[in-house]
Amino acid sequence: GSYYAVADYTAFNPEFGTIEQFKDVVKQAHQQGMKVILDWVPNHSGRDNKWVTEHPDWYEKDSLGNMKGIYDWTDVYVFDYANKEMRKGMIDAMKFWLTEADIDGFRCDMAMLVPIEFWNETSLRLRRVKPDLFMLAEAEERNLFEEGAFDACYAWRMHHLMNDVARQ
């Protein structure tokens, strides 16, 4: 599957080295005055994610009780954000990277597909761990900023507008 089909939210992808090597990269970046953010996928996980078998109730189900996918993405299942334990699991996984690897924030994939109540709660909880946390939404819906859940967003509409202007 794709890199957006996460198998384990607290494991380091061995294609990129070890978690110890990653911690060293973060430390070196900090020494150079840079920040490190992780690309976070909160809407769905890979079908091979350990939570699929450990916590099947954390996923949305169709009318037949099967876990649901999204769009035409065949390698993912969608999380059920009505499940409070799922929300806690997601927040705990994000905290892991703040405390274990000392990262500085998250770029949240498809942030608009996750309930704003989750983002508001998550932002508050994560900022208790790291007050200068940086949250970037791959979205531009205004509600993501009303209570300070996100610090910045992708300006997709402006991007497309500028592309249109450049073509003229």
Side-chain angles (χ1 to χ4, degrees):
S2 75
Y3 289 116
Y4 293 91
V6 178
D8 187 337
Y9 282 93
T10 58
F12 195 78
N13 186 335
E15 290 180 35
F16 303 116
T18 67
I19 192 166
E20 292 307 318
Q21 290 171 320
F22 177 66
K23 289 178 185 181
D24 190 49
V25 167
V26 172
K27 183 178 178 183
Q28 289 179 42
H30 289 165
Q31 290 170 350
Q32 298 295 319
M34 293 185 281
K35 304 287 185 180
V36 177
I37 64 173
L38 290 185
D39 197 358
W40 198 258
V41 184
N43 178 62
H44 55 269
S45 78
R47 289 181 176 211
D48 61 346
N49 189 291
K50 66 180 188 172
W51 290 348
V52 169
T53 54
E54 292 175 7
H55 305 286
D57 57 314
W58 288 11
Y59 293 86
E60 288 187 13
K61 308 286 190 313
D62 64 18
S63 61
L64 299 174
N66 300 310
M67 291 181 192
K68 290 172 55 175
I70 187 170
Y71 306 125
D72 61 348
W73 305 343
T74 59
D75 57 349
V76 301
Y77 290 133
V78 177
F79 287 116
D80 178 3
Y81 272 87
N83 186 311
K84 291 182 183 190
E85 287 301 310
M86 184 252 114
R87 288 179 179 222
K88 181 183 179 313
M90 185 65 68
I91 293 169
D92 287 347
M94 294 174 88
K95 281 183 184 176
F96 170 87
W97 292 102
L98 296 175
T99 59
E100 294 299 314
D102 196 27
I103 64 133
D104 302 291
F106 299 94
R107 176 259 183 205
C108 299
D109 182 68
M110 305 290 281
M112 71 288 194
L113 297 180
V114 174
I116 186 59
E117 300 80 21
F118 171 78
W119 289 127
N120 290 337
E121 174 188 0
T122 299
S123 178
L124 285 172
R125 289 179 183 237
L126 297 180
R127 289 177 202 277
R128 288 183 194 138
V129 175
K130 187 171 246 317
D132 61 345
L133 176 78
F134 179 74
M135 295 288 284
L136 171 62
E138 185 215 5
E140 57 189 340
E141 285 71 10
R142 290 179 184 239
N143 68 332
L144 297 172
F145 303 93
E146 291 170 354
E147 294 186 37
F150 286 94
D151 302 297
C153 70
Y154 280 40
W156 289 122
R157 286 185 282 273
M158 180 61 78
H159 165 77
H160 294 296
L161 177 64
M162 290 295 152
N163 283 340
D164 290 346
V165 168
R167 281 191 213 105
Q168 300 299 325

